[in-house]
Amino acid sequence: MRRTRCFVTIAAAVLLAVSGARAMINPTFTPIQLVKQASVILWVDIKAGEAKDPYTATIRETLKGKAAEKTFRLDISKAGEDEAAIALREQFAAGKPAIFFVGEFEDTKELGGGNTSRRAFLLMDGVWSVFVGGEQGLWKLNNINDRMLMTVWHGGTDMLRRAVDYILTDDDPKVPVAEGFTFSKGPLKLASLSGAIRAVRTVDLASDGKLALFVACESGDRLFAGAQNRTFADLTGARGLQSKSLVFAWGDFAGLGRLDLISFDGKVVTLNAQQADGKFLAKPLDLGGAVFTACVALAALDVGTKGHAGLLVSGDSWPVLVALDEAGKATATTLAAPGVALAKLGQTGACLVADFDGDGLADVLLPAEKGSVLFRATAPGKFAPGVACAVQLGKSPSGACLGDFDGDGRLDIFCANRSGSYLWENVGGGTFVETFEQTGELSYGASRRGIDCMAGDFNNDGRQDIVIGYSAAEPRIFFNRGFRSFGNAASINMNWKELLPASMQGQTSVCIGYLDGDGAQDLALALTNGEIWVAFRENSNADRAAMMAAAVLPVSGACKGPVAVTGWIDKRCLGAWNVLPGVSQACFGRTEAGLVTLKWRLPGGKEQSKEVVIEKGGTLKVEIK
């Protein structure tokens, strides 16, 4: 299959060079038109016949129309012996299901002419083939890896199958062809800092839905509060924050129902407990050797201690779980994975904490350059021995983020690293499959030297987009067409030189959040030169103001998270988000007023749901308990 994927990538790259940055999306012939013009759509299995080139296609399921027979034949004798033909035969031999479209299809300008002709389009393992004929159930190969069909859909075959189901059942289906948003002119510069900036992240300090921007910096952390008029105030001094963070975590660590900060400056671990007046009181924290010089990340999570969030420490060895009692005394437990040779996996990264298997309990994934280890939760703060997992970060330095990019209610993992990118699709049961080469324009538009990444919904269409930060280039945004196929946000990515020239030199961190509370997600950037900038998403059209429902876990609640929350518009899943109190939200955008159904499951409980109506622009905060 390597040859097939290589061929697809090369073909995409050639087409991109010839036709421009948006060549891989046909704006006038999308999967919607493909489904509409097809008289028959079939889900099929293909097997070799007695000779080399006749293949038999057996119908698994008829998705549209009616097929005359349960089987038909495919003749690829004209395929020749080039690399594409060999790859096609390998695909058929692999026995993967395929989707087959039959109809009188228009020859649009992009597809080669102005008439209609009877053809059949086959997508198997992400590669298109065109067939003609069909008499007496025999279809003859006309073209392999049709480039113009890649402009209609560049993605996984299983994902197109789901897209077809969506198009056939939804009253008003959408498959976006452009990003559908812009940033306002004149991004806002918040600060220019000395010392390495480790991260920029949003936090809900007062649990009121108003997000502040936290900057972790080795010379001194900063807190900035945003407002609806797109101004920011530096809260660092007023809040008494004196931390200098190489790594950090936000959570209710003091057990007072407020958001606290645990910070590690390379020598000392400090609990910055938020007081009733909003100021932070710093206190050294003895974690019993759980934090060491090789520490790469800290994360808050529910460890089963009533009223207190626990802490997960990521380093160059196994993760360490820390529980804090009422007096702040720490009890550390090292997670183990008997039989897994961690040293062979390469440099480790920050652990990802999320409910990966859908049982309502937050699991821990320890990722590394060449593999990972999954610790599945058996109760809050209790984990089964770790097992090897396929997820890889790639060459360090790297960044990883969670998102539900195919909208199936399971959290996937996107990784940006020095040599490229990965997208690990969560197929259930704690199993992940790498799918990056079948992600549309993302598969060749994402560059090397990625340093940070985050999922969000820039255009409020309920599909999770991706922003990638690069250590020596401008950031890049890719909008989600749905079902794990992405488009290049060309009008944004090609204009960073005009919008924010300094960003062209690289970033150390990127962050998405509704920083002015208007329902449209904004972008915060920490640049390699030490500058902090915010680019605001344009949202000036009062008739179509951005609308978003933000589901949050209350900081003072019994569950300290994280919890997976999904959103639904009718039967369409808007995907899952990983929600951590005061730190991350589930953001469900809508392009028009209407109903959103939220679903979640707390540890040890049953699935819950809540219907909310978004009636006007802005962010509607919804607490889940």
Side-chain angles (χ1 to χ4, degrees):
M1 292 303 167
R2 285 289 178 189
R3 285 179 291 186
T4 301
R5 291 177 178 172
C6 179
F7 183 87
V8 173
T9 304
I10 292 171
V14 171
L15 187 58
L16 177 66
V18 172
S19 305
R22 298 175 66 176
M24 285 305 297
I25 294 180
N26 185 337
T28 62
F29 197 91
T30 73
I32 295 175
Q33 285 73 41
L34 177 63
V35 170
K36 181 179 180 180
Q37 293 184 24
S39 56
V40 177
I41 305 176
L42 306 172
W43 187 241
V44 301
D45 290 314
I46 301 173
K47 295 183 179 180
E50 295 180 358
K52 178 180 179 181
D53 292 314
Y55 290 82
T56 299
T58 302
I59 300 172
R60 276 192 179 191
E61 186 178 354
T62 300
L63 307 181
K64 179 183 178 182
K66 185 176 181 180
E69 303 290 342
K70 293 183 179 181
T71 63
F72 55 92
R73 292 169 295 153
L74 300 176
D75 181 0
I76 65 169
S77 60
K78 304 299 183 182
E81 294 297 333
D82 61 15
E83 186 176 13
I86 295 171
L88 183 61
R89 292 188 177 94
E90 287 181 351
Q91 286 179 321
F92 285 177
K96 293 185 178 181
I99 192 165
F100 197 69
F101 300 85
V102 179
E104 296 286 336
F105 293 103
E106 294 179 1
D107 290 329
T108 63
K109 180 180 179 180
E110 291 80 5
L111 293 176
N115 302 313
T116 61
S117 59
R118 178 173 170 80
R119 284 168 290 170
F121 302 144
L122 176 76
L123 181 67
M124 187 176 194
D125 199 23
V127 177
W128 285 101
S129 302
V130 180
F131 291 81
V132 296
E135 293 81 7
Q136 298 180 343
L138 177 64
W139 289 93
K140 297 181 179 180
L141 182 67
N142 178 260
N143 188 17
I144 300 172
N145 199 41
D146 188 277
R147 291 181 179 180
M148 291 302 103
L149 284 172
M150 290 177 67
T151 71
V152 179
W153 177 262
H154 184 188
T157 305
D158 56 336
M159 294 294 106
L160 182 58
R161 162 63 200 270
R162 286 181 51 200
V164 168
D165 290 338
Y166 158 66
I167 292 167
L168 289 172
T169 57
D170 195 279
D171 293 335
D172 187 24
K174 298 286 194 305
V175 181
V177 298
E179 57 270 17
F181 75 97
T182 60
F183 289 119
S184 299
K185 293 182 179 180
L188 181 64
K189 181 180 177 181
L190 300 188
S192 183
L193 306 180
S194 61
I197 298 173
R198 299 292 176 168
V200 285
R201 293 293 184 261
T202 58
V203 289
D204 187 353
L205 291 175
S207 299
D208 58 2
K210 297 178 181 178
L211 300 184
L213 190 68
F214 170 70
V215 182
C217 182
E218 66 177 12
S219 64
D221 299 341
R222 303 286 284 273
L223 275 172
F224 297 94
Q228 290 185 343
N229 60 0
R230 295 185 173 180
T231 61
F232 278 76
D234 190 335
L235 300 179
T236 312
R239 292 296 188 108
L241 187 66
Q242 300 179 18
S243 56
K244 299 178 180 181
S245 298
L246 297 183
V247 294
F248 64 92
W250 288 89
D252 182 12
F253 301 113
L256 300 175
R258 294 187 284 267
L259 196 63
D260 311 312
L261 170 68
I262 289 181
S263 172
F264 177 55
D265 63 4
K267 296 180 180 179
V268 180
V269 180
T270 304
L271 169 61
N272 301 273
Q274 186 177 175
Q275 307 302 295
D277 60 1
K279 292 186 177 181
F280 290 93
L281 180 64
K283 177 184 177 182
L285 195 61
D286 182 6
L287 298 186
V291 174
F292 34 85
T293 55
C295 180
V296 298
L298 302 175
L301 75 167
D302 195 324
V303 294
T305 303
K306 185 177 180 180
H308 291 258
L311 187 71
L312 186 73
V313 181
S314 303
D316 59 359
S317 186
W318 300 113
V320 178
L321 193 67
V322 179
L324 300 172
D325 63 15
E326 294 290 338
K329 183 179 179 181
T331 301
T333 304
T334 300
L335 303 186
V340 178
L342 184 60
K344 294 182 179 180
L345 300 182
Q347 186 170 328
T348 56
C351 285
L352 300 173
V353 185
D355 180 8
F356 290 115
D357 54 10
D359 62 358
L361 299 170
D363 311 303
V364 170
L365 182 82
L366 169 61
E369 290 179 314
K370 302 176 184 178
S372 59
V373 182
L374 178 63
F375 301 89
R376 296 176 68 166
T378 58
K382 305 294 183 182
F383 298 90
V387 295
C389 182
V391 173
Q392 299 178 20
L393 288 175
K395 289 186 178 182
S396 296
S398 63
C401 66
L402 300 173
D404 185 359
F405 304 114
D406 55 359
D408 65 355
R410 293 188 288 258
L411 288 164
D412 311 311
I413 301 171
F414 179 76
C415 305
N417 61 72
R418 188 184 356 170
S419 60
S421 300
Y422 295 118
L423 199 156
W424 297 96
E425 181 191 356
N426 185 344
V427 296
T431 301
F432 294 84
V433 176
E434 210 289 303
T435 58
F436 181 70
E437 290 180 358
Q438 295 183 4
T439 59
E441 292 185 327
L442 177 65
S443 65
Y444 57 88
S447 297
R448 298 181 179 183
R449 302 183 74 177
I451 196 71
D452 196 15
C453 54
M454 185 172 283
D457 184 5
F458 282 111
N459 52 19
N460 289 79
D461 68 352
R463 301 171 178 90
Q464 293 184 29
D465 312 314
I466 292 176
V467 61
I468 307 172
Y470 293 94
S471 60
E474 70 278 7
R476 295 189 187 178
I477 296 172
F478 297 88
F479 67 93
N480 197 336
R481 305 189 72 197
F483 308 103
R484 208 186 63 228
S485 182
F486 292 85
N488 174 28
S491 66
I492 306 291
N493 296 333
M494 296 178 67
N495 288 287
W496 282 109
K497 189 173 182 179
E498 296 180 8
L499 181 67
L500 184 54
S503 69
M504 304 292 289
Q505 303 304 313
Q507 310 87 52
T508 61
S509 185
V510 295
C511 180
I512 305 172
Y514 47 92
L515 291 169
D516 56 3
D518 65 354
Q521 292 197 315
D522 309 306
L523 178 62
L525 300 170
L527 306 186
T528 53
N529 64 4
E531 296 176 354
I532 308 296
W533 290 82
V534 174
F536 295 100
R537 211 211 80 175
E538 180 60 47
N539 190 29
S540 60
N541 189 336
D543 294 331
R544 297 198 63 184
M547 294 173 285
M548 181 171 291
V552 301
L553 268 175
V555 174
S556 59
C559 178
K560 300 304 179 182
V563 171
V565 181
T566 59
W568 300 76
I569 296 178
D570 297 325
K571 295 181 180 180
R572 175 189 160 207
C573 181
L574 303 180
W577 294 80
N578 196 45
V579 179
L580 191 66
V583 175
S584 57
Q585 309 80 35
C587 300
F588 302 109
R590 284 203 62 131
T591 54
E592 58 186 17
L595 183 72
V596 174
T597 302
L598 308 180
K599 296 182 181 181
W600 69 94
R601 182 182 176 188
L602 298 181
K606 297 180 180 180
E607 183 180 78
Q608 301 181 62
S609 65
K610 183 175 184 178
E611 292 185 346
V612 297
V613 178
I614 304 177
E615 298 179 311
K616 59 182 180 179
T619 302
L620 175 64
K621 176 186 173 184
V622 184
E623 286 193 349
I624 60 174
K625 299 178 180 179

